[in-house]
Amino acid sequence: MTGSAQRPLLFLDVDGPLIPFGAASQRYPTWATGPEPLGAHVNPLLSRINPEHGPRLAALPCEVVWATTWMADANECIAPLLGLPQLPVVIWPEPSDLDDQDERNGLHWKTRALVARAAGRPFAWVDDEVTGTDRAWVAAHHRGQALLHRVDPRRGLADSDFTALDSWLRQLV
């Protein structure tokens, strides 16, 4: 594949994959990040972001896209901590009655929007809330290849996650 238009997409969530949470009995590692990024004083969880994830994400053979409720704030607050450039951001549609039905059926509210954004391109979705229902829906409604990769929110992205992503993305080339 040549050119970024042909590269697979990597839809990246922030809370859970980049900011671990939910492990009541565990203390989270924190990292010094240099100058305080925009919003750091209002969100102490930003210190949980491992700056080593930035180069590892940048090395993956894909186009990284923020797929988070942080939306454009991910470029203001998260990208500088990771040493990443401004990344594209998924703009979520307004909630609808279809979302209510999807929720009752166990489909994540992001799933339809990510398949629409991918528009047939191969994509990996990294999130802590991916389920079998999402995988089945994507398999039935997305014409390209897709990897829905669930990250343990108690630890965030780990070596095994990067290995799985890199392996899957490289088999597409």
Side-chain angles (χ1 to χ4, degrees), residues 139-159:
H141 295 91
H142 178 62
R143 66 183 181 270
Q145 294 185 42
L147 171 68
L148 278 64
H149 185 81
R150 185 183 180 283
V151 172
D152 183 344
R154 296 168 296 177
R155 65 182 171 118
L157 280 167
D159 289 342

Side-chain angles (χ1 to χ4, degrees), residues 15 19 33-49 70 72-81:
D15 295 312
I19 299 176
T33 58
E36 188 173 272
L38 181 65
H41 63 284
V42 286
N43 193 335
L45 298 179
L46 292 177
S47 66
R48 294 183 184 176
I49 294 175
W70 284 73
D73 288 343
N75 278 324
E76 307 258 341
C77 300
I78 310 296
L81 295 174

Side-chain angles (χ1 to χ4, degrees), residues 45-133:
L45 298 179
L46 292 177
S47 66
R48 294 183 184 176
I49 294 175
N50 182 345
E52 294 175 10
H53 289 339
R56 293 185 82 176
L57 288 164
L60 293 171
C62 62
E63 178 184 348
V64 180
V65 178
W66 294 120
T68 174
T69 56
W70 284 73
M71 297 186 60
D73 288 343
N75 278 324
E76 307 258 341
C77 300
I78 310 296
L81 295 174
L82 296 170
L84 293 174
Q86 300 282 299
L87 300 173
V89 177
V90 174
I91 305 301
W92 305 113
E94 291 298 316
S96 70
D97 292 339
L98 188 57
D99 295 324
D100 293 337
Q101 180 64 41
D102 285 346
E103 184 178 351
R104 285 190 294 277
N105 293 333
L107 189 68
H108 195 285
W109 62 269
K110 292 180 182 178
T111 307
R112 285 181 188 271
L114 295 180
V115 168
R117 174 71 162 73
R121 281 173 68 182
F123 73 88
W125 174 19
V126 177
D127 203 304
D128 60 303
E129 297 181 337
V130 170
T131 67
T133 302

